């Protein structure tokens, strides 16, 4: 197994051994309280594992014995840590419940299969014994994708795929590779790069998420402009279902009807469990160049990105923060240095250059052959200049690269200090993006004010364009707010609903790369239409007639009246 | 309506007014007879329309009156020409039956709806009255995709969408456009280019096929390396079904579960009728450069293409003929000039340069901004040189561009002279391509010898790589053979089956861009697996519970025993 579960936090982000240095930074908390319109921030520590309450374990002794007979005792686990670790994902909503010590759900047992045949056998067993099955890769879902919900069944097991972590083959001629789905990001990249290739899929969760998880939730890495989204790089999959194995794809392109390979990305363990995948790889990049630019405003930066992607500029990443995100991280960064002098000089310089209060920072990344990288960088610099940007140089790019997977670690210390932080994301065509941006900002701001713990308190909305396409782009929102202690889940639900309704009303998709899980379920019928949901249900019924697979995710059971 | 049906041949390719100049070219037929091991070629003219036999018309008078009440008398047609025109597509198999004058199927009426609402109303009417419905765009299917089969119903109507031909909107900011599905290629490009953009989808059938048809059969234009396949450029669709309207897509990217937009391309009128589509467009290219190269052999050219696509060279088209196709068209072209001198000098020159008998011709096309085109062209020239190619210059490229839609016109005069000609295509990963190529060639050659009308007669197999991807490429086979007069359908079936079995046995897909229709149905269960076929059936049942839509295509009714 490439990762021991005990080395990862069960109720927070990342390595258990990670040292949080922020807790003791009083300057930070004073500043953040001020940002949120709060007089001060309270200590709100998480419960210890010894103090948590788990749901009663429902697995019949005979059933457990049957599972042990299949896998051996080491791969059927039901101690408190294993059950708590696999109860939920790692969303803000999940962390609220994990930290409160009151877990509403937990698997009755966690199973560690070692191959496609074992997964198929386990699914047949679970279908026969009416047990719900939740597939689990790295468990970093931020939309409730791995909640150990039993649905209409009396018990639920989680299939942890981390024991299925082999790189099976690299087909050098075809630039594809095949691996077991449970392999983690770093192990996969290490094995691929040893053969001179890369998948290049680097979501923020990269260190703690798996190949199968990336596909199941239809993810996009930070460098997806070059390396593609999961649905772009997936060539073929083995999908283990209660009805047997469905093998999809395997061709560079095909007109043999609708491609079943296309319904694997985004299937979220509801149609089947991805056990192996074949995917497109690239030559490991010989060069890379990440650097910063500062635009006069968000709209100017967005226009530059649009110009670049519409002329097929081969960028790896173009990431543009809005004015508020730029301001927030500049101010946050300034806390680290001697506050004052350099920050004031920077501000003065920007004013002289005609930048007002709304500058927007962009990181442009290029990877590949040295010549292509250099040509792309130069071309983007010209586009940025034409849109009035100031080049910030390599330092900003280096800083972003160093911290590219670090963001989620900031959430735990904030939650220790009465601060909530969540993210959500959407995408729309360029012609709708500006309206969508404004509507979601406004909805978040209003909902955070309305649910704030005291009058005058409010939240912060940060946004960036994380991924761009010739026809549109994604918007990634981070919202930070003072927790309404005691009513935090209702607070989160109100904020989430307000933003989601604004997304639906303004031509956005309910998710660009986080997926659906439990959290986006209420908006799926609106996004897909009643007939569309029926199509998804028909696929599900065919592959999983009893509905044992990942209950309560992706496909709504009730449809609104037409 | 953008095209009058009466101006198009009902039993051959293209404009009725097109002048065939080949019929009188005795030198051509003498040469071709020799190529096929035949002493001579017989005259085998097509029947006139006055002499054809159509199946009896089955539409009940009340039903017909109901349709007329909905559309008016002008848009419900059932004269002989309309019924014969819409009976079948334009495959070799279709032409055999059209030319023989014995049409096994024909629509009882041809309906010309004018919008999504009319299509929905007609589908509801047809479902209520148990009438099969065949959607029809340009009718150029070469796989039996529009055969007017009634299936288990007593009558069948064809919905001809050519009256739905409006460009609805160009969203300049998002570089997308929306059009009705029945618009023909030239009308669509004319309307788009008037607004400075292009879709760039140019299949060989471009002049006679429609937007909806391109999507329905999951097509690829000749320039798909730049402009993408139908599934790449389709942003969203309106799919009219007997259960109502399914609207799909509309986002640049989404992780809101499996995308229903992905099951529209390749759905072949079996799930619903595409009435409108939104698609990605490009700036009309400022420059283009098409030129020829000659490689020492097919493998060398394929290696150059692989190198180019794997370094993301922005080519529009890389089209490589194998040695036999190169030889055949060189010899055919030489008939046009004074035979002898120039051809002999060329051959001598090639021998001096170390080219043996197996040279393979490649056309490399680049479109876009002048700088990108020039850089791409130069880079490909370097790759070609590194693979031992001889540059042939712009003349070959110009000649290819001039004739790019002309190929299918050659089939009719061949069929007039006892010669059969058909094409088939597949795709596979690069590591399987060479074996697949050899196996299909061998299977075609063997089957054509075995079904030849006399001992010693045989066929010709030509092949080119028409589309390429980082992970693989397509193979496009043309096979020409002396017709076994009197047993021609069995002959065609034997050849087709031999090639298809070879494709399946060697890792190819049954179609890269022609689609499935009736002709590839027998191989679908093998390609998709029994469980995969069940998934397709479940989708179909949801959208078309009675199964009225395009019976007998795409989804096999019977599955082989597992």
């Amino acid at each position: 197994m490439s990762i021991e579960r005990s080395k990862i936090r069960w109720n927070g982000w990342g390595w258990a051994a990670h040292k949080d240095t922020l807790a003791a930074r009083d300057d930070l908390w004073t500043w953040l309280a001020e940002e949120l319109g709060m007089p001060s921030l309270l200590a709100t520590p998480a419960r210890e594992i010894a103090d948590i309450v788990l749901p009663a374990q429902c697995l019949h002794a005979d059933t457990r014995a049957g599972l042990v007979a299949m896998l051996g005792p080491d791969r059927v686990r039901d101690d408190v840590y294993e059950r708590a670790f696999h109860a939920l994902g790692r969303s803000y909503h999940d962390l609220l419940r994990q930290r409160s010590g009151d877990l509403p759900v937990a698997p009755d047992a966690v199973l560690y299969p070692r191959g496609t045949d074992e997964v198929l056998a386990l699914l047949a067993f679970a279908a026969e014994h009416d047990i719900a099955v939740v597939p689990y890769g790295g468990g970093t879902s931020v939309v409730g994708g791995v909640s150990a919900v039993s649905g209409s069944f009396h018990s639920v097991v989680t299939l942890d795929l981390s024991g299925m972590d082999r790189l099976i083959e690299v087909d050098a001629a075809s630039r594809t590779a095949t691996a077991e789905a449970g392999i983690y990001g770093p192990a996969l990249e290490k094995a691929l790069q040893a053969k001179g290739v890369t998948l290049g899929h680097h979501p923020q969760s990269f260190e703690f998420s798996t190949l199968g998880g990336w596909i199941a939730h239809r993810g996009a890495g930070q460098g997806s402009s070059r390396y593609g989204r999961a649905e772009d790089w997936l060539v073929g999959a083995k999908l283990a279902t209660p009805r047997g194995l469905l093998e999809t794809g395997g061709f560079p392109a095909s007109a043999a009807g609708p491609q079943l390979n296309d319904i694997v990305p985004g299937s979220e363990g509801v149609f089947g469990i991805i056990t192996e995948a074949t995917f497109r790889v690239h030559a490991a990049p010989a060069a890379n160049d990440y650097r910063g630019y500062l635009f006069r405003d968000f709209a100017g930066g967005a226009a530059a990105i649009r110009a670049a992607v519409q002329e097929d500029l081969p960028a790896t990443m173009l990431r543009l923060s809005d004015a508020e995100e730029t301001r927030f991280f500049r101010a946050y960064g300034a806390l680290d240095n001697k506050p004052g002098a350099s920050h004031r000089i920077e501000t003065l310089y920007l004013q002289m250059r005609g930048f007002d209060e709304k500058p927007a920072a962009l990181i442009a990344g290029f990877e590949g052959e040295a010549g292509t990288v250099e040509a792309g960088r130069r071309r983007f610099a010209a586009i940025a200049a034409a849109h009035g940007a100031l080049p910030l140089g390599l330092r900003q790019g280096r800083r972003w690269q160093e911290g590219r997977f670090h963001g989620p670690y900031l959430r735990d210390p904030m939650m220790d200090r009465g601060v909530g932080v969540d993210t959500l994301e959407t995408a729309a065509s360029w012609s709708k993006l500006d309206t969508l941006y404004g509507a979601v900002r406004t909805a978040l701001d209003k909902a955070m004010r309305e649910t704030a713990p005291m009058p005058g308190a409010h939240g912060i909305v940060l946004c960036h364009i994380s991924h761009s396409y010739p026809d549109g782009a994604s918007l990634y929102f981070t919202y930070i707010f003072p927790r309404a202690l005691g009513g935090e889940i209702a607070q989160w639900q109100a904020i989430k609903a307000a933003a989601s309704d604004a997304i639906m009303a303004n031509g956005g998709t309910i998710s660009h790369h986080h997926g659906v899980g439990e959290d986006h379920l209420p908006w799926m019928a609106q996004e897909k239409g009643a007939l569309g949901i029926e199509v998804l249900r028909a696929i599900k019924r065919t592959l999983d007639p009893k509905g044992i697979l990942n209950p309560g995710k992706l496909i709504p059971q009730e449809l609104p009246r037409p």
Side-chain angles (χ1 to χ4, degrees), chain A:
Chain A
M1 218 169 297
S2 50
I3 286 196
E4 279 300 320
R5 292 292 174 234
S6 59
K7 292 185 177 169
I8 302 179
R9 288 185 191 163
W10 74 275
N11 64 349
W13 187 258
W15 299 116
H18 179 83
K19 291 267 175 282
D20 283 329
T21 55
L22 302 179
R25 287 273 308 272
D26 285 340
D27 58 335
L28 171 67
W29 305 112
T30 306
W31 170 74
L32 191 57
E34 209 168 293
E35 288 277 327
L36 299 174
M38 294 284 284
S40 64
L41 297 171
L42 299 175
T44 49
R47 288 272 178 95
E48 297 299 322
I49 192 146
D51 298 330
I52 68 165
V53 181
L54 283 169
Q57 209 180 347
C58 299
L59 204 60
H60 195 280
D62 288 353
T63 315
R64 190 182 191 287
L67 293 168
V68 170
M70 292 171 82
L71 300 180
D74 287 356
R75 297 195 280 131
V76 180
R77 300 189 191 170
D78 50 8
D79 57 88
V80 169
Y81 189 85
E82 285 284 329
R83 291 185 68 212
F85 185 92
H86 293 90
L88 297 166
R90 296 297 179 270
S91 71
Y92 172 69
H93 183 206
D94 295 333
L95 263 62
L96 278 180
R97 292 175 290 174
Q98 288 158 344
R99 296 168 56 95
S100 78
D102 198 8
L103 286 173
V105 294
D108 294 307
V110 181
L111 313 177
Y112 288 86
R114 284 218 186 109
T116 301
D117 288 346
E118 277 191 357
V119 173
L120 285 167
L122 288 170
L123 290 178
F125 183 93
E128 191 190 330
H129 292 83
D130 292 313
I131 303 169
V133 176
V134 177
Y136 194 102
T140 57
S141 172
V142 288
V143 293
V146 295
S147 302
V149 173
S150 57
S152 58
F153 301 94
H154 72 289
S155 55
V156 54
V157 294
T158 288
L159 257 61
D160 186 314
L161 300 168
S162 60
M164 293 168 56
D165 61 353
R166 285 183 310 130
L167 173 64
I168 295 167
E169 188 202 8
V170 172
D171 177 345
S174 309
R175 288 274 174 88
T176 61
T178 302
E180 288 184 308
I183 191 167
Y184 273 71
L188 177 61
E189 277 298 333
K190 192 177 165 194
L192 290 173
Q193 287 177 24
K195 305 216 171 207
V197 296
T198 181
L199 170 57
H201 188 85
H202 290 98
Q204 204 173 33
S205 65
F206 174 73
E207 297 166 278
F208 303 103
S209 56
T210 62
L211 174 63
W214 301 338
I215 299 163
H217 81 284
R218 214 174 164 92
Q222 291 160 340
S224 73
S225 292
R226 173 172 168 79
Y227 299 103
R229 298 167 54 89
E231 65 267 32
D232 300 322
W233 49 248
L234 184 71
V235 176
K238 286 192 182 174
L239 192 74
T241 84
R243 295 279 319 283
L245 188 63
L246 181 66
E247 292 192 69
T248 64
F251 308 114
S254 170
Q259 300 296 297
L260 299 169
N261 200 49
D262 290 342
I263 62 167
V264 175
S267 58
E268 300 196 0
V270 158
F271 294 160
I273 298 182
I274 301 158
T275 59
E276 286 183 25
T278 298
F279 46 89
R280 298 179 177 95
V281 295
H282 295 247
N288 84 72
D289 187 293
Y290 282 75
R291 59 183 74 204
Y293 294 86
L294 199 67
F295 287 82
R296 279 162 214 275
D297 55 26
F298 191 48
I305 291 179
R306 181 162 78 83
V309 293
Q310 289 185 346
E311 69 169 56
D312 300 324
L313 184 81
T316 298
M317 185 188 84
L318 297 171
R319 183 187 175 95
L320 173 73
S321 293
D322 72 352
E324 186 60 6
E325 186 167 290
T326 303
R327 182 198 70 77
F328 184 85
F329 283 115
R330 255 183 100 217
Y332 173 72
L335 293 175
D336 266 339
N337 309 315
K338 268 226 163 61
S342 79
H343 191 253
R344 278 202 305 274
I345 291 171
E346 242 179 78
T347 308
L348 259 173
Y349 174 76
L350 288 176
Q351 283 169 350
M352 277 169 51
R353 294 285 302 247
F355 280 66
D356 66 2
E357 297 299 305
K358 304 262 183 209
L362 180 145
I363 306 288
F366 295 85
E367 299 183 9
E369 290 298 312
T372 318
V373 166
E374 180 57 16
R377 180 191 77 73
R378 279 175 188 276
R379 180 65 196 140
F380 186 76
I383 294 171
H387 287 81
L390 206 64
L392 299 181
L394 288 164
R395 187 161 150 267
Q396 307 293 327
R398 202 162 44 238
R399 198 190 284 174
W400 179 84
Q401 284 184 288
E402 286 163 5
R404 67 189 294 184
F405 306 130
H406 191 75
Y409 276 118
L410 301 177
R411 189 172 48 169
D412 296 324
M414 284 193 182
M415 291 190 74
D416 288 341
R417 294 295 289 252
V419 176
V421 52
D422 196 11
T423 62
L424 56 81
E425 29 78 74
T426 180
S429 59
W430 286 111
S431 58
K432 293 175 181 165
L433 207 66
D434 193 48
T435 308
L436 176 64
Y437 167 70
V440 177
R441 273 200 76 86
T442 302
L444 283 169
D445 182 64
K446 180 161 175 282
M448 289 192 293
R449 285 181 195 276
E450 286 170 359
T451 60
M454 60 174 66
H458 55 80
I460 304 166
V461 183
L462 317 177
C463 182
H464 61 264
I465 290 179
S466 57
H467 302 76
S468 48
Y469 308 87
D471 51 328
S474 67
L475 295 173
Y476 192 100
F477 293 92
T478 303
Y479 48 108
I480 305 170
F481 50 96
R483 286 163 59 181
L485 299 178
E488 292 156 290
I489 288 184
Q491 178 189 33
W492 171 78
Q493 282 168 335
I495 301 169
K496 178 79 181 170
S500 299
D501 288 343
I503 286 171
M504 288 287 105
N506 289 279
T509 172
I510 197 63
S511 177
H512 169 266
H513 62 272
H514 282 172
V516 178
E518 294 180 308
D519 293 357
H520 293 141
L521 201 63
W523 291 273
M524 276 293 275
Q526 200 175 338
E527 171 135 354
K528 302 285 187 189
L531 198 50
I533 296 295
E534 283 195 55
V535 170
L536 295 180
R537 282 188 192 151
I539 299 171
K540 162 120 180 131
R541 265 197 313 273
T542 303
L543 298 174
D544 176 25
K546 283 193 164 179
I548 59 168
L549 279 168
N550 217 9
K553 326 293 190 323
L554 190 62
I555 307 176
Q557 292 305 303
E558 304 286 325
L559 285 185
R561 297 269 165 78

